[in-house]
Amino acid sequence: MAEIKDIEVIKTTKSRFDPALLENPGFGVLFSDHMCSMDFSGGRWAAPKIVPFAKIEVSPALTVLHYGQAIFEGLKAFRTKDGRVNIFRPEKYHERMLRSCARLCIPPVDYNDFISGLETLLKTDSVWVPSKRGQALYIRPFIFATDEYLGVKVSDTYKFLIITSPVGAYYKEGINPVRLTTPGEYVRAVKGGLGSAKTPANYAASLLPAEEAKKKGFTQVLWLDAIEKKYVEEVGTMNMFFHIGDELATPSLEGSVLPGVTRDSVIHIAKDWGLKVVERKISIDEVFAASNKGILKEAFGTGTAAVISPVGEICHDNACVTINNGQTGPLSRKLYDYITGMQYGDEPDRYGWVHTING
Ligand code: COI
């Protein structure tokens, strides 16, 4: 059980809050009034504090700007019908953050500091948690190296910030199916590289292929493994699931795929629903063959931002398959309803995943 610490709160004198902002918040464009801030120097993290959301002044020689020593997380808070605020699986996101920290040589942040800072931030900015179904307060914790130095080395100092942003759906399609394409010669990550860490470099690597895909009318890129360019890995903003015959299959985590928290939730839930859930290699040829045989029932992506995002079409090497007639399938819909039901407090929290903020 985490011990929630007393945290210093320095409040803004000028709130930017206006209920009209929550009408149609988009994704990641609005920011709440405060942020949680904590600095690392002299071999230790100082206590977290809540300060007004504001620009930060940095040196042009900041190591993160040159060599990218940084990690981030993304989780969400939800407003329940009775007005409480639920955070979904904060321990699991913190656990992943520690693994990303280890890979990027960043000192770990203690769970008590993480959850105390986050709870205090959410209490301070409670009005920013939207109450409409389909909306949430997206929480972005991140850590970056702050030494001023141009040599390549592990930084001695860091800043940890948590900012929050009221959001609606991540994709313009919402729960409607997205279109994916494999990325030709590009790769996202190799085993032993950074692919399983939540670090900006992976997202930087995805920008050019994603731009090219968007120009061709696709929503996102479906990454294949970097060696054989044969096995499905992930979508960058989400993990992938395929309902083939009686099996719900998802690519196994072999070092180059991000271990998604929504992926983990879907695996638990689908198993409890009696589905045969398998983590294994899935080749793009198998996906096309399953479609041709008529046994590819559904494909969907999972992610914190994307939640459950049905995939209506996949294109690869000048050929395309349409999945479930380009419609949202029953399993995607059921998972979306169940997971969001738990998050908004309408479904019982049978896994102990919901962290309710009291007070
Ligand atoms: C998330 O799902 O939280 C992500 O990190 C995806 C994206 C917005 C970078």
Side-chain angles (χ1 to χ4, degrees):
M1 198 56 187
E3 172 214 337
I4 304 298
K5 299 179 179 173
D6 273 344
I7 286 187
E8 184 187 1
V9 178
I10 302 167
K11 282 208 173 168
T12 179
T13 49
K14 256 195 182 156
S15 169
R16 287 173 282 102
F17 183 72
D18 175 345
L21 290 172
L22 303 186
E23 277 307 304
N24 198 359
F27 187 93
V29 287
L30 294 171
F31 302 99
S32 71
D33 281 326
H34 298 88
M35 59 188 184
C36 173
S37 172
M38 183 163 83
D39 293 314
F40 183 92
S41 66
R44 55 178 289 275
W45 285 105
K49 57 183 178 208
I50 307 301
V51 295
F53 178 95
K55 294 198 169 136
I56 47 177
E57 195 172 279
V58 296
S59 160
L62 212 67
T63 49
V64 68
L65 300 179
H66 301 271
Y67 308 121
Q69 197 195 355
I71 60 97
F72 68 96
E73 266 309 325
L75 59 162
K76 277 177 175 170
F78 303 85
R79 174 83 62 198
T80 65
K81 280 196 191 109
D82 57 8
R84 288 171 303 151
V85 172
N86 283 345
I87 320 176
F88 192 64
R89 306 196 71 182
E91 298 91 349
K92 193 79 186 161
Y93 287 95
H94 175 260
E95 205 182 286
R96 183 172 67 183
M97 186 172 95
L98 293 189
R99 287 201 299 274
S100 301
C101 282
R103 182 63 182 83
L104 273 294
C105 300
I106 291 175
V109 169
D110 176 68
Y111 185 68
N112 282 345
D113 283 333
F114 175 80
I115 197 70
S116 304
L118 179 52
E119 274 211 10
T120 313
L121 176 63
L122 293 179
K123 282 181 188 166
T124 311
D125 276 346
S126 163
V127 287
W128 290 87
V129 183
S131 44
K132 266 199 216 155
R133 207 50 196 244
Q135 298 182 345
L137 190 70
Y138 186 77
I139 300 164
R140 172 53 59 87
F142 58 110
I143 308 177
F144 56 95
T146 53
D147 278 5
E148 291 180 50
Y149 180 59
L150 291 187
V152 178
K153 75 159 190 68
V154 172
S155 182
D156 292 324
T157 60
Y158 298 87
K159 190 174 271 300
F160 168 80
L161 293 173
I162 309 178
I163 59 173
T164 69
S165 171
V167 297
Y170 183 67
Y171 296 122
K172 70 172 176 10
E173 289 86 346
I175 177 85
N176 296 317
V178 296
R179 298 181 66 220
L180 304 178
T181 178
T182 55
E185 83 258 33
Y186 301 115
V187 298
R188 173 184 175 272
V190 287
K191 289 186 180 58
L194 296 174
S196 63
K198 208 155 173 69
T199 186
N202 291 325
Y203 298 81
S206 77
L207 293 175
L208 177 62
E211 279 305 291
E212 292 182 6
K214 271 179 207 153
K215 275 192 200 127
K216 294 181 196 149
F218 295 100
T219 322
Q220 270 292 342
V221 164
L222 178 63
W223 295 104
L224 301 181
D225 76 278
I227 309 291
E228 296 180 76
K229 301 217 177 79
K230 181 173 170 187
Y231 296 103
V232 172
E233 297 225 309
E234 59 156 281
V235 176
T237 46
M238 43 186 203
N239 295 108
M240 281 301 300
F241 283 82
F242 298 91
H243 194 190
I244 303 176
D246 67 348
E247 195 179 271
L248 183 62
T250 187
S252 32
L253 302 176
E254 294 180 19
S256 48
V257 170
L258 188 82
V261 176
T262 314
R263 173 187 183 277
D264 180 80
S265 307
V266 165
I267 292 174
H268 274 86
I269 294 164
K271 278 186 182 164
D272 284 353
W273 286 351
L275 278 154
K276 186 173 154 204
V277 185
V278 211
E279 297 177 67
R280 63 169 175 84
K281 282 189 184 304
I282 304 163
S283 72
I284 188 72
D285 292 345
E286 179 189 347
V287 173
F288 274 60
S291 171
N292 290 336
K293 278 195 249 163
I295 56 167
L296 177 59
K297 297 176 180 160
E298 282 182 54
F300 58 86
T302 61
T304 305
V307 196
I308 302 290
S309 182
V311 175
E313 187 182 41
I314 297 177
C315 296
H316 170 66
D317 275 355
N318 300 320
C320 296
V321 287
T322 300
I323 303 158
N324 193 42
N325 294 319
Q327 305 296 315
T328 300
L331 182 59
S332 310
R333 168 56 71 184
K334 191 174 166 197
L335 282 163
Y336 178 87
D337 288 345
Y338 185 71
I339 292 176
T340 54
M342 233 187 309
Q343 293 171 330
Y344 289 99
D346 300 336
E347 288 284 347
D349 176 24
R350 72 173 54 92
Y351 300 96
W353 287 342
V354 174
H355 181 103
T356 301
I357 297 186
N358 299 308

